[in-house]
Amino acid sequence: MGRIFSGIQPTSNLTLGNYLGAIKNWVTMQSEHDSIFCVVDMHAITVPQEPEALRKATYEALATYIACGIDPKKSTLFVQSHVPQHAELAWYLNCATPMGWLNRMTQFKDKAGKNRDSVMTGLYTYPVLMAADILIYHATHVPVGEDQKQHVELCRDIAISFNQRFEREVFTVPQPIMPKQGARIKSLRDGTKKMSKSDPSDMSRINLTDDADTIAKKIRKATSDADVLPSEVKGLESRPEAENLVTIYAALAETTMDKVLGEFAGQGFGVFKPALANLAVEKLAPITKRTQELLSDKGEIEAVMRQGRDKLIPMANKTLDDVKQAMGFVTL
Ligand code: TRP
């Protein structure tokens, strides 16, 4: 039994995509592993954030984790900036990470695009902070989506080269774990794009703060096509919207796409969408309702934040002491 670490950025509302793609898996994993889940506010500021929006999103993310079933008695939940040791470790790791390694990061290339000279330095060194998050707690496994795999691999390279350079096992070398396929949720407007918190259209996603009526409305209005559903998954090829809606159904019902098609083959979206809307409301409305309840009493969320912080600071300090000792800092 290893230790799991993962995090999500509080850049705005978490979505159905975050739930089915990440948080739902975390809920299962927390019973089998020592688990630490973070709201990575220091990563969020790698692109400009409105201060009040960041604060609100940070509370919302933590409330959503709990409402989705992450149990603060089983897992450790915290806010990244509450353990500033991450930033200190990131500095030491910045001085142990060749620029060539960061130049290879495809997410930076995608995000910076043509604006390489005007994006902030933090966006470039972001993967080093992520490595610090993971290494400071000796996490053994890091559940992430495909887009973050390269960053976890960089983290492994940093850990291995640091251990070699200073000739001791300062860091545990972690492994990425990818969610089982089928949980990659696309936009409700365009089945070729990821469901994203940053899409300008709110109709493209289901937020984990939406109420039951909104959830039902968004599903009913989701883009689909005029064909009936096929009897096999193969028949969904080149029908990205249809595939996405069947994927969502299967994930929410905790079944396979084949079984869903077994039930709905030959039916059109006039039948399938209302069924999906009912299912989504049944599964998600309790979560979004609980999120709203938690948000109405910040005290409860803050108590969970404090509990996480107080547990993690000593662990983080221990790792920092080892790092500083290894690197040759004078410790008093
Ligand atoms: N970079 C991740 C993302 O944007 C979030 C993240 C930060 C993270 N630190 C992490 C994920 C550590 C896993 C482990 O999705």
Side-chain angles (χ1 to χ4, degrees), residues 8-161:
I8 295 183
Q9 297 191 37
T11 39
S12 59
N13 292 337
L14 297 186
T15 69
L16 178 66
N18 297 115
Y19 176 58
L20 294 177
I23 305 174
K24 198 159 179 287
N25 291 320
W26 297 357
V27 173
T28 317
M29 284 185 274
Q30 70 178 341
S31 309
E32 292 143 31
H33 304 269
D34 173 9
S35 309
I36 306 175
F37 300 116
C38 185
V39 178
V40 289
D41 54 350
M42 284 160 39
H43 276 97
I45 61 162
T46 55
V47 294
Q49 300 294 331
E50 282 304 321
E52 276 319 313
L54 178 64
R55 219 181 323 272
K56 181 161 174 269
T58 303
Y59 279 110
E60 277 178 6
L62 211 109
T64 306
Y65 285 3
I66 300 171
C68 287
I70 303 211
D71 179 352
K73 292 199 193 71
K74 287 189 192 157
S75 302
T76 308
L77 295 172
F78 78 114
V79 176
Q80 188 182 30
S81 63
H82 292 172
V83 186
Q85 284 80 355
H86 292 225
E88 186 180 344
L89 179 58
W91 178 254
Y92 304 141
L93 299 181
N94 270 326
C95 299
T97 306
M99 282 183 55
W101 292 5
L102 290 182
N103 289 339
R104 287 204 291 269
M105 295 296 115
T106 55
Q107 191 177 61
F108 177 76
K109 291 184 208 168
D110 291 346
K111 285 198 181 176
K114 294 194 185 76
N115 306 321
R116 275 190 160 236
D117 287 345
S118 56
V119 295
M120 296 301 157
T121 309
L123 189 67
Y124 181 69
T125 58
Y126 157 130
V128 178
L129 178 60
M130 179 164 161
D133 297 339
I134 298 166
L135 298 178
I136 206 163
Y137 303 116
H138 297 282
T140 56
H141 294 88
V142 186
V144 282
E146 192 60 42
D147 61 327
Q148 295 297 321
K149 197 168 166 227
Q150 193 184 34
H151 294 161
V152 180
E153 263 145 25
L154 176 85
C155 172
R156 290 171 56 84
D157 290 342
I158 294 173
I160 292 167
S161 78

Side-chain angles (χ1 to χ4, degrees), residues 237-256:
E237 263 169 38
S238 61
R239 293 176 65 188
E241 282 82 18
E243 182 178 6
N244 186 38
L245 295 177
V246 174
T247 301
I248 294 173
Y249 194 107
L252 287 172
E254 300 185 18
T255 179
T256 63

Side-chain angles (χ1 to χ4, degrees), residues 284-297:
L284 299 176
I287 294 178
T288 62
K289 187 161 165 270
R290 179 82 184 111
T291 304
Q292 293 301 350
E293 271 166 24
L294 285 161
L295 286 170
S296 67
D297 172 16

